[in-house]
Amino acid sequence: MQSGLETIWKDNDEEHGHPDFLSLKDIKQLVKKGEGQQLEFKMKVKFPEKIIREMVAFANSDGGILLLGVGDLGEVAGLRFPDEDQFDLDRAIEKYTFPAFSHVSYKVPIDDQRAVLVYVIYPSVDKPHYVQLDGEAHAKCFVRLADKSIQASKEMKQILRRSDEEGIQFTYGEAEKWLIQFLHEKEKITLSDFSTLAKLPLWLASRKLVLLVLCNVLRIEPNENQDVYRLK
């Protein structure tokens, strides 16, 4: 977990018997650290269909906590109608996301009129998860990159889908040998660069990179433009 989250969950587990229920004090401590790989703030629940993208990204990545009623600058203002907001979000999750992902949600009161709405999303064993809104021809898959949720590439989706598959093998041919040597010298490469420099069709370069990630030879770093591959 992100620094801070693990400590707070451990303390809660020891004190309350459940690692996922945060107090208002816990929330304020998390907010001070700012958004990151496993933490997202939203001040309002105006567009629940957009917020669920963050949840899907957490489920497809390392899990995370979504705090609703907290501003980007860290102001813990709370929501005036948290029950209604929770209902709208739960309906959006059920309607627009698939397959179902594991999460819990609850309210943390600030005072008699406002509360922070907390969603804890667990890293999924049933990846990849998708969002498909009304009017969209294709479902979209999202993953978490630092403090952003970005659309997953074709390669990233294949890696998520096959991450628990056993017995995956690859052939250590000339292209693989070249790639390993290149990464020892240059440290990173993209799909398009691998395809061009190794003189491979794009589909074959893609297949080789996916297999090398699944076999723990490479690691993939999702990127908004092009994913980056490095030696594991």
Side-chain angles (χ1 to χ4, degrees):
M1 298 294 291
Q2 172 182 305
S3 176
L5 286 183
E6 190 174 75
T7 301
I8 287 175
W9 283 9
K10 180 177 183 295
D11 291 344
N12 266 5
D13 194 19
E14 293 173 351
E15 184 177 351
H16 305 297
H18 199 298
D20 304 321
F21 287 89
L22 305 176
S23 67
L24 183 58
K25 178 183 177 182
D26 295 332
I27 289 172
K28 289 180 178 179
Q29 288 178 358
L30 287 177
V31 167
K32 289 179 181 179
K33 298 179 182 299
E35 294 179 317
Q37 180 70 22
Q38 293 176 289
L39 188 62
E40 176 78 18
F41 311 151
K42 296 291 182 186
M43 180 64 87
K44 299 178 181 180
V45 188
K46 191 173 183 181
F47 301 105
E49 65 274 12
K50 293 183 179 180
I51 294 175
I52 58 175
R53 295 176 181 178
E54 315 287 354
M55 299 184 187
V56 164
F58 282 144
N60 282 330
S61 303
D62 304 314
I65 296 177
L66 177 63
L67 300 176
L68 301 157
V70 177
D72 290 337
L73 298 179
E75 58 274 34
V76 184
L79 303 169
R80 288 189 62 190
F81 306 105
D83 290 325
E84 295 178 16
D85 291 330
Q86 188 173 21
F87 176 82
D88 289 341
L89 272 173
D90 288 344
R91 185 171 58 177
I93 292 170
E94 183 178 358
K95 182 177 181 181
Y96 297 122
T97 71
F98 66 93
F101 54 88
S102 181
H103 68 281
V104 296
S105 60
Y106 55 92
K107 299 177 288 293
V108 179
I110 294 177
D111 53 35
D112 292 339
Q113 297 182 331
R114 291 180 176 271
V116 173
L117 184 55
V118 180
Y119 275 80
V120 180
I121 297 92
Y122 300 99
S124 179
V125 296
D126 196 20
K127 304 171 184 176
H129 298 270
Y130 294 87
V131 175
Q132 186 167 14
L133 303 180
D134 293 335
E136 292 186 346
H138 302 288
K140 296 177 181 178
C141 178
F142 295 88
V143 292
R144 192 72 176 173
L145 174 66
D147 61 349
K148 296 181 180 179
S149 297
I150 63 172
Q151 193 167 339
S153 65
K154 179 182 71 173
E155 290 73 30
M156 189 71 234
K157 286 186 283 187
Q158 288 185 47
I159 291 165
L160 290 172
R161 185 179 301 112
R162 301 180 63 186
S163 59
D164 292 329
E165 190 175 326
E166 297 181 357
I168 298 175
Q169 297 179 341
F170 69 95
T171 301
Y172 189 68
E174 289 300 317
E176 287 78 9
K177 182 179 179 181
W178 177 90
L179 177 60
I180 300 303
Q181 181 62 39
F182 179 90
L183 290 175
H184 275 300
E185 297 174 0
K186 303 295 185 181
E187 294 188 358
K188 62 182 180 180
I189 198 168
T190 63
L191 169 60
S192 60
D193 284 344
F194 180 40
S195 174
T196 300
L197 295 173
K199 297 181 174 58
L200 296 172
L202 199 63
W203 68 268
L204 183 56
S206 170
R207 180 182 177 185
K208 288 181 179 294
L209 288 172
V210 168
L211 285 175
L212 288 168
V213 171
L214 291 171
C215 290
N216 291 314
V217 176
L218 303 182
R219 59 185 171 92
I220 183 173
E221 296 178 358
N223 194 282
E224 289 181 297
N225 297 315
Q226 283 197 77
D227 297 336
V228 171
Y229 297 84
R230 301 176 187 270
L231 288 174
K232 192 90 178 229

